[in-house]
Amino acid sequence: MTGLVLEGGALRGLFSAGIMDVMMENGIPIDGLIGVSAGAAFGCNYKSRQPGRCIRYNTRFARDWRYCSLRSLLTTGDLFGGEFCYHEMPKKLDIFDEKTFDDNPMEFYAVCTDVETGRPVYQKLMHHSYECYEWIRASASMPVVSRLVKIGGRKLLDGGIADSIPLRYFQNAGYRRNIVIETQPRDYVKGPNRLLPLFRLVLRRYPEFLKTAAQRHLMYNEQKAYVRQQEALGQTLVLRPEKPLPIGHLSSNPDEMRRVYDIGYRMGLKRLDDIRRFVSASASADKGEAAGHAAETD
């Protein structure tokens, strides 16, 4: 099976959205997708088959206080408005194609972090529902500037804290050949989080989460090395920016958003033949395995 693994990175995820739009526009079939943070929030559009939607709503609502603002943080407890972004907008303002999402057999996973255990939570989401949107919101809920998202007795935040690039998880789930979209250059090295003192103040009731957050840079750098290793072995195709993307975690500038999206879109076009060959080889390998299993049972 062919998987698509999406790193987060807040608005750096528009780079990934550009690549995904090229893939959707060219009918690239994917068996499953796992997204972390912005990777989940933007990646759900692959299952609903809506190229262009991600950049459209980001630029349309870039300066709307309900979407992302200090006012939203102070009035709702979420920098990115939870109700507006994950319920009102997809239901009324930029319609999320729920029927296509439900009918598409592609598996879709969102990664969150359980704040009480500090462990990653991997949730398969095959059909839309209020809770489905909440899982995606939880995956993208950055610590300190987001409320805890409570689902099924769990308290959840940003999946990138516990598993930033979940390639290993997807391999273990049966996706042995994967396309990985990173949002940092190949040799980027993450340092310790400078906001840890604020984390410790705001989230002091959750010591296991704080332990995980304190070690995140080590986990992330190890995962980047693992991705490079798997890339060298040929079972993983990696798409990443050639240099740091010209945007921070946050932006209210539609032109800045468009530039990052365009970098991803151009990368998708540049690597389209590589993507096609990789997916075609994966499909051939799957058919070979299926034929082998059939022969064994005869």
Side-chain angles (χ1 to χ4, degrees):
M1 294 194 297
T2 305
L4 180 59
V5 179
L6 302 179
E7 180 182 358
L11 290 178
R12 292 199 310 273
L14 290 171
F15 170 82
S16 306
I19 294 174
M20 285 189 288
D21 281 358
V22 171
M23 293 173 65
M24 283 190 276
E25 289 166 0
N26 286 275
I28 303 296
I30 295 296
D31 298 306
L33 183 155
I34 186 166
V36 180
S37 194
F42 298 167
C44 61
N45 294 290
Y46 209 108
K47 183 168 167 63
S48 67
R49 297 188 176 124
Q50 290 179 277
R53 180 174 179 270
C54 184
I55 186 61
R56 183 176 64 240
Y57 73 70
N58 271 281
T59 53
R60 177 184 174 187
F61 297 112
R63 294 193 171 102
D64 190 318
W65 75 267
R66 298 169 299 172
Y67 186 61
C68 177
S69 67
L70 180 60
R71 179 178 173 185
S72 175
L73 178 62
L74 294 175
T75 57
T76 71
D78 293 307
L79 185 67
F80 285 89
E83 185 63 29
F84 179 80
C85 294
Y86 296 96
H87 299 290
E88 183 177 355
M89 190 265 289
K91 288 281 189 180
K92 300 177 181 179
L93 302 175
D94 195 311
I95 305 300
F96 184 67
D97 189 339
E98 295 173 338
K99 184 179 187 307
T100 298
F101 182 90
D102 291 355
D103 292 345
N104 188 346
M106 185 191 90
E107 295 184 334
F108 174 71
Y109 290 77
V111 184
C112 305
T113 300
D114 186 317
V115 299
E116 294 184 315
T117 66
R119 303 283 298 170
V121 179
Y122 307 93
Q123 184 67 26
K124 184 193 287 190
L125 301 168
M126 294 301 292
H127 300 95
H128 83 278
S129 65
Y130 184 90
E131 188 172 282
C132 171
Y133 290 125
E134 285 292 279
W135 277 105
I136 296 171
R137 177 166 82 94
S139 181
S141 290
M142 296 183 290
V144 177
V145 294
S146 306
R147 292 171 293 165
L148 301 181
V149 181
K150 300 177 182 179
I151 307 174
R154 296 182 185 270
K155 298 177 182 178
L156 305 164
L157 281 176
D158 187 349
I161 300 296
D163 193 348
S164 296
I165 311 174
L167 175 58
R168 276 195 186 92
Y169 176 83
F170 231 30
Q171 289 172 330
N172 291 334
Y175 291 88
R176 284 179 288 177
R177 290 177 61 84
N178 293 280
I179 299 169
V180 177
I181 304 181
E182 297 182 338
T183 59
Q184 294 283 13
R186 183 181 187 279
D187 296 321
Y188 171 79
V189 176
K190 185 180 287 295
N193 192 329
R194 291 175 294 179
L195 294 179
L196 274 175
L198 190 55
F199 280 27
R200 293 188 177 107
L201 176 65
V202 176
L203 295 161
R204 58 189 177 276
R205 294 175 55 194
Y206 304 103
E208 296 304 316
F209 177 85
L210 293 174
K211 289 178 186 177
T212 299
Q215 298 296 311
R216 184 193 177 189
H217 63 293
L218 302 176
M219 172 270 293
Y220 180 85
N221 294 333
E222 189 278 331
Q223 288 186 333
K224 287 278 284 186
Y226 182 74
V227 169
R228 292 194 296 269
Q229 177 194 70
Q230 295 299 299
E231 182 181 25
L233 293 173
Q235 298 287 21
T236 301
L237 177 67
V238 186
L239 307 173
R240 55 171 74 90
E242 295 172 349
K243 56 185 178 180
L245 295 168
I247 199 167
H249 273 74
L250 307 175
S251 174
S252 59
N253 185 333
D255 293 334
E256 196 171 58
M257 294 176 179
R258 173 64 67 174
R259 279 195 293 272
V260 172
Y261 171 84
D262 287 345
I263 292 170
Y265 195 91
R266 289 193 297 270
M267 175 66 72
L269 291 175
K270 178 181 177 182
R271 301 293 303 277
L272 182 57
D273 287 343
D274 295 335
I275 296 169
R276 282 177 168 147
R277 283 193 293 268
F278 184 84
V279 172
S280 177
S282 298
S284 296
D286 288 343
K287 288 179 182 177
E289 287 186 10
H293 291 316
E296 289 174 4
T297 58
D298 286 344

